[in-house]
Amino acid sequence: MTPSVRATNLRLPVLLAGLLLAAAPGLTQAQAASSTGARLFNLQCKTCHGDKSTPAGPTLTGVAGAPIAGRSDYAYSAGLKAKGGTWSDAALDAYLAKPMAFAPGTRMMVAVPDANNRAAIVAYMKTLK
C-alpha cells in the first residue's frame, strides 16, 4: 500500500467519527475521538503495546499523566529515560508525531503523522486505566 493510500485509509476513521458524532447527539466529541482512537490504536499500536509490557514495548495502560519512561516492568531506551516529565497530551502528541525527534535513541519507529489521528489515539490512551 502506498503512503498516500495508507494516509487516506487512516483519515477514514476520523471522518466516520465525525459522522457518528453528528448522528448521535448524546455522544461527546471526546467519546467519538476515543472510539476512533481505539480503532487506530488497534491498527497501529497494539502490535507492540499490549495489555502487559513485553520486550516489543511497554503496556500503555495508565500511561496518560504518568512519568515518561516510568514503568518498572519495561527497559526503556536511554533517550526516553533522559527525557523526564510526564506523558501529558502535548508530550504524547509530540512523541507520536516524531518519536526520534522527541527522544533521540528511542526504539519506537512508528510515527503518526496526521494530527487528527494522533489526537484520537491520545484520547483513547487516556481511557486505558
Side-chain angles (χ1 to χ4, degrees):
M1 191 178 309
T2 66
S4 61
V5 170
R6 202 173 301 128
T8 300
N9 287 343
L10 293 177
R11 286 189 196 113
L12 182 60
V14 174
L15 176 63
L16 292 175
L19 293 172
L20 180 61
L21 182 59
L27 191 63
T28 68
Q29 188 172 6
Q31 290 168 322
S34 178
S35 175
T36 299
R39 285 189 293 277
L40 291 169
F41 183 90
N42 287 329
L43 286 170
Q44 294 184 275
C45 311
K46 192 84 171 174
T47 300
C48 297
H49 300 283
D51 294 333
K52 296 184 180 191
S53 296
T54 68
T59 182
L60 298 178
T61 301
V63 73
I68 293 173
R71 296 194 62 90
S72 62
D73 62 350
Y74 184 75
Y76 293 95
S77 65
L80 206 50
K81 284 184 200 176
K83 189 66 181 173
T86 60
W87 285 120
S88 64
D89 289 5
L92 287 166
D93 180 72
Y95 189 55
L96 290 171
K98 295 183 180 180
M100 289 296 225
F102 181 85
T106 186
R107 291 187 291 268
M108 187 160 121
M109 297 292 133
V110 177
V112 182
D114 183 85
N116 291 327
N117 289 348
R118 287 194 310 274
I121 290 170
V122 169
Y124 174 71
M125 288 170 60
K126 291 166 70 173
T127 70
L128 300 175
K129 308 242 183 246

